[in-house]
Every structure is written in C-alpha cells, then in structure tokens.
Amino acid sequence: MKDQIMSKKIGFVGLGTMGLPMAINLNKAGFEVIGYDAFAGSREKAKTAGITVAESLKDVAEQADDAIVSMVRDYAQNLDVILGEGGLLSANPKDVTIIVMSTLDPDTMNDLGKQVEEHAGVKLIAAAVSGGATGAQAGTLSIMTSGPEDSVTAARPYFDAVGSNVFYYGSQPGNSQAAKLVNNLILGVNINALAEGLKFGAQYNLPQDELLRLFKVSTGDSWVARNWDSVSEWTADTALAVLLKDLKAAHLKGLEHNVAMPFNALSSTLLFDSMGKKPQAK
C-alpha cells in the first residue's frame, strides 16, 4: 500500500500559512508533493521542509498524476492559477481533478467549476477547510467537500492526510463553500458572545481563567471557549480579517436569497470592537 501511495504525485499550489503544513502532511502520508507558490520566500520554506518545488504552474500540471490542490487566497487568484496565461490548464492536463481548498462564495465557486469543466479531461471539486493554522499543522482539519461524488471519493486519501473529519455536501462545488460560510457564521457569533461575556465579567473583577473553566464544563461551552487562548490572539490583518470576509459574504448571500440572519450581520459589525482590535487602515 505504501508503494502504491508513493507512486502518486499530487500538485499543490499555495504554500502559505495553511498550505505549507498541509503539503508537509501529504508528504508524511507518502505522497510526493509537487508544490508551487508565487512568492520566492514560500518556495524556499517548502524546499527546506522537503517539498519538491516546481518551476511554474504549468510544470505542476505536467508532473501531477491525478490531482492538484489550489490553496490560494481568493477567486481572482484561483482564476489566475487555474485558467490564466501559464496557469495549470495551459498544460492541457488529462484525467486531472482540481481540488479548490480556498474559501470562495458559493456562486463564484459554481462558476469556477463550470469554467474548469469546459476543458476536456478536467474536473473540479471544492474542499473548504476549517481548523486554522493549528489544525493544518496537526493534520486535524475539518474538510467540507462537494462536486462529482466519484471525484470526491477518489480524493479521499488526500483529505485523510490533512484532516480528521471529511464531510460531503453534494454535487455542486459551491455547496462546500456554503457549508464553510455556515460554520464561520456560527464562529463569528460565538466569538462576539464570548468576548462580550468576558467584558461583563471584568466589570466585577471575575478572574477570566475561572470564567473560561466554567464555560468549558457548562452551558456556555463552545469551540471558541475551549480555544480562547489562541482565538484571543487573532489579529485584524490575519484570522479576524478572513473571518470578517466570510461573515460579510454570508450576509450578502442572505440578502440575495431573502434569508434573515441578524446575528450574523451584528457579528460582522461588532467583531473587531468585541475583540478590542482595530481594522487595518486601507
């Protein structure tokens, strides 16, 4: 089985805070990762970590056996990486599945899927992740998949290498992204609730550590309470900014589909204030 896995070369584009540890875990599982990142510094870190770094996106597509992961930031970057001049599809790969693990909005992901599948021999599946950098490093990400079921099933060994929970949400690629927005909507509400509760407790000089211990064994429990040490360190230019982007996306999709989500709207408005952080100046 190990030799069979070792024969697999998987492409991986986007070797940043999330992507690099995911690529490392794929390597540890026995896959040969053919990595690429637009930034030279990220490529050097990947080489140091034992990742085979390709010279170009086209080179990634030419070397990958049957799957290429895209873990870049947004729709524009995915469009460029996959369909742009010199992008993955410029190599005219056959029998390849593009696995988009970035977070996009659901309709944009569906549109990307249609554009990709106009190319014969190429399929796209979405696999949004939750768990942050710590989950990426530990290989314990939750992975929300959608797309052609046979392609998702074939990619399961890759998901198992980087995550501990895999979910399937149907044939439309955008469904993965909808699940991610639902998850982050609840995360945003929970962060605001916990931060507000701690502020109230501080008015009575209640020890924060004791309050957190209480939450973890009572009805105030949540993932946020159990991970407050790391969540409280999230900054306005990294994790909080990404979460705010998802809260806003969920709000806009709610308006579009006439789904009232007042807690989500309030959470996006108050997120930085609740956390005592200021948004980055533009």
Side-chain angles (χ1 to χ4, degrees):
M1 183 67 177
K2 179 80 170 178
D3 292 339
Q4 183 181 0
I5 290 177
M6 283 298 294
S7 70
K8 290 286 188 182
K9 293 182 179 180
I10 179 172
F12 202 108
V13 180
L15 300 168
T17 303
M18 293 287 292
L20 180 56
M22 292 167 68
I24 290 171
N25 283 329
L26 282 163
N27 243 0
K28 288 179 178 177
F31 301 104
E32 182 178 352
V33 179
I34 309 300
Y36 182 80
D37 195 282
F39 296 100
S42 296
R43 295 196 297 271
E44 287 304 314
K45 286 181 181 178
K47 286 180 183 177
T48 302
I51 303 297
T52 301
V53 176
E55 296 296 319
S56 66
L57 291 166
K58 187 176 180 181
D59 190 26
V60 172
E62 288 173 343
Q63 292 194 54
D65 286 332
D66 59 9
I68 304 168
V69 172
S70 176
M71 192 60 188
V72 297
R73 180 175 285 272
D74 54 26
Y75 175 69
Q77 289 185 4
N78 273 288
L79 203 61
D80 187 51
V81 161
I82 300 169
L83 294 158
E85 184 177 352
L88 296 172
L89 297 192
S90 69
N92 294 314
K94 301 297 181 186
D95 300 320
V96 167
T97 298
I98 307 291
I99 306 172
V100 177
M101 302 189 81
S102 316
T103 300
L104 311 181
D105 78 68
D107 295 330
T108 299
M109 180 60 81
N110 284 334
D111 182 64
L112 182 62
K114 289 175 183 176
Q115 292 183 66
V116 168
E117 294 195 7
E118 289 176 0
H119 295 256
V122 182
K123 292 183 179 181
L124 180 142
I125 60 177
V129 300
S130 180
T134 54
Q137 292 161 8
T140 57
L141 293 169
S142 291
I143 303 171
M144 296 150 274
T145 68
S146 60
E149 189 168 6
D150 58 340
S151 298
V152 172
T153 300
R156 182 63 189 254
Y158 305 131
F159 300 144
D160 288 340
V162 300
S164 54
N165 296 286
V166 181
F167 308 91
Y168 180 64
Y169 291 102
S171 62
Q172 289 296 311
N175 288 358
S176 163
Q177 308 303 313
K180 176 67 178 284
L181 291 182
V182 169
N183 182 78
N184 280 7
L185 182 161
I186 295 168
L187 171 62
V189 172
N190 282 341
I191 287 176
N192 276 282
L194 187 66
E196 188 173 295
L198 291 176
K199 282 182 181 179
F200 180 55
Q203 296 304 306
Y204 291 90
N205 297 314
L206 303 182
Q208 179 172 296
D209 287 349
E210 284 296 285
L211 283 175
L212 290 169
R213 287 183 60 215
L214 168 66
F215 302 154
K216 294 171 188 177
V217 295
S218 69
T219 53
D221 191 25
S222 68
W223 181 90
V224 174
R226 283 175 267 116
N227 292 274
W228 187 248
D229 282 350
S230 60
V231 174
S232 63
E233 296 298 321
W234 289 2
T235 63
D237 60 339
T238 54
L240 284 180
V242 173
L243 177 58
L244 182 61
K245 173 180 69 71
D246 290 348
L247 293 175
K248 289 180 176 178
H251 177 63
L252 291 174
K253 289 300 169 185
L255 292 175
E256 183 179 326
H257 298 291
N258 197 30
V259 178
M261 295 187 292
F263 291 109
N264 177 73
L266 188 61
S267 293
S268 62
T269 303
L270 296 178
L271 182 63
F272 287 111
D273 182 66
S274 295
M275 294 291 285
K277 310 284 175 74
K278 291 184 178 180
Q280 291 292 96
K282 294 183 178 180

